[in-house]
Amino acid sequence: MLSRTARFLTIGTAVATAVLLSVDSGFAQCSMCRTALEQNPEAAAGFNRAILFLLAAPYAVFGSVTGYLVVSRRLRTGPDGSRALDRPDYSSSGNA
């Protein structure tokens, strides 16, 4: 039996692969852009790179937020798996 994380990654990879393989016109532009860029292949290559850059930006933001949440959650739990609120605070000297 796969763990929950492994199952999530397997299903996510399968869905991403299916979506990427099913999209046939991923590098196509609208007819006006195609007509304008056919005359200058260098501009067309730059235009395609710009599209891919804009496509990657939301994934970078989502990945950053998810990474922050994972790290902050791991920092809140101790080595024994207890949460920070459940552990006694030994940082103060207790001379209150």
Side-chain angles (χ1 to χ4, degrees), residues 27-76:
F27 289 107
Q29 300 96 12
C30 68
S31 61
M32 294 296 289
C33 295
R34 181 180 302 267
T35 304
L37 294 173
E38 279 179 347
Q39 297 157 6
N40 190 353
E42 193 173 299
F47 187 72
N48 285 334
R49 281 193 299 268
I51 290 172
L52 293 176
F53 177 77
L54 291 173
L55 177 71
Y59 292 103
V61 170
F62 180 74
S64 298
V65 170
T66 303
Y68 172 77
L69 293 174
V70 168
V71 168
S72 66
R73 182 181 174 111
R74 286 187 181 176
L75 289 176
R76 284 195 311 245

